Amino acid sequence: MKRYTFNSIILKDKFKYHNEIKKDLLKLIIKSDDKKWIDKDQYFNDDLLKTDWPLADNANREWVKKHKDKFINQFNVFANALGYQKATLIKIWYQRYGYQQTHGWHTHWGNYTGAYYLELPKNAPTTEFLYCNNLEKSFTINVKEGDLIFFPCHFIHRSPKSKSKKIKTIISWNLNFDHVLEFYIKDREKIKKYE
């Protein structure tokens, strides 16, 4: 099998609404009836304090109804930076982690996914990725609370066991992209080929 290495992109940005919505978003998440999530079998190794993953395609959850548009605005900024007109949200959910809790190696379906670090205490792990061209090596992106990272759904990633006694809370999503930006349609003859 021949391998061709090409560049792929992970985007990171400070969520401009973080300071505005953090307290309200956490309040809505904490008061929800969602449950602990444990899924340990021959494939999964997940242990979450609380998640609404089973409802990820339900747009009627209170926190989603109230704040979804802010996330979509940010997703569209990322989509434009990658050459697409807009992002279409498929699923969105939260995950909360306590001490020693984890989400094992996995992928998502759709075009892009990511994590918004709503609550990120000291010693809490961030998303760990495997290199596509060397699955024996991993890497992380340096993030702080309030950051979003945005990456291709096929990237193998996980949330390692938390060493923090405080709770980590993230929002994650699956989305697809709409059409490419008009610039690339009209000026496609001007695009340079890399040889």
Side-chain angles (χ1 to χ4, degrees):
M1 177 187 313
K2 186 156 183 158
R3 289 181 181 240
Y4 295 89
T5 301
F6 63 94
N7 291 330
S8 194
I9 293 175
I10 296 175
L11 298 175
K12 179 180 95 168
D13 201 1
K14 181 63 80 179
F15 191 30
K16 71 178 182 177
Y17 302 105
H18 176 69
N19 292 333
E20 175 188 332
I21 70 171
K22 177 187 173 183
K23 284 183 184 175
D24 185 58
L25 200 46
L26 280 171
K27 182 180 79 173
L28 293 171
I29 286 170
I30 290 165
K31 81 171 195 174
S32 73
D33 293 331
D34 305 309
K35 307 287 185 226
K36 183 176 176 70
W37 180 274
I38 296 177
D39 196 357
K40 292 180 183 276
D41 58 24
Q42 69 276 7
Y43 182 80
F44 292 102
N45 181 29
D46 301 337
D47 182 5
L48 307 175
L49 185 65
K50 187 176 180 181
T51 184
D52 64 350
W53 161 247
L55 305 171
D57 54 1
N58 178 353
N60 290 318
R61 288 164 289 155
E62 194 173 353
W63 75 266
V64 177
K65 281 194 294 187
K66 196 165 182 183
H67 298 294
K68 180 176 82 169
D69 289 344
K70 295 174 184 77
F71 285 98
I72 290 173
N73 287 342
Q74 179 66 55
F75 299 156
N76 285 334
V77 168
F78 285 144
N80 294 166
L82 294 169
Y84 303 100
Q85 288 183 20
K86 67 178 185 173
T88 302
L89 186 63
I90 302 166
K91 292 180 180 281
I92 189 166
W93 66 96
Y94 73 82
Q95 295 182 177
R96 303 193 85 207
Y97 299 84
Y99 180 65
Q100 292 290 305
Q101 291 188 307
T102 184
H103 189 181
W105 293 111
H106 65 285
T107 62
H108 293 229
W109 59 274
N111 293 141
Y112 260 67
T113 184
Y116 161 44
Y117 297 93
L118 173 61
E119 198 175 22
L120 187 63
K122 188 178 179 183
N123 295 325
T126 60
T127 307
E128 182 181 11
F129 300 91
L130 293 181
Y131 282 98
C132 295
N133 63 346
N134 184 350
L135 298 174
E136 303 300 316
K137 290 177 128 183
S138 69
F139 67 96
T140 58
I141 304 292
N142 184 20
V143 295
K144 296 177 182 169
E145 184 175 290
D147 285 346
L148 294 101
I149 56 172
F150 196 70
F151 56 91
C153 284
H154 69 272
F155 278 19
I156 300 171
H157 63 285
R158 71 173 177 173
S159 180
K161 282 188 179 178
S162 181
K163 295 177 183 171
S164 176
K165 302 284 188 182
K166 295 183 178 176
I167 294 171
K168 174 179 91 169
T169 306
I170 63 110
I171 306 282
S172 194
W173 55 85
N174 292 342
L175 57 80
N176 284 328
F177 294 126
D178 196 342
H179 303 81
V180 297
L181 288 171
E182 214 170 298
F183 166 82
Y184 297 107
I185 297 166
K186 290 183 176 176
D187 294 329
R188 61 181 172 262
E189 297 300 322
K190 295 180 182 176
I191 304 298
K192 293 179 182 176
K193 273 179 108 175
Y194 288 94
E195 309 252 343

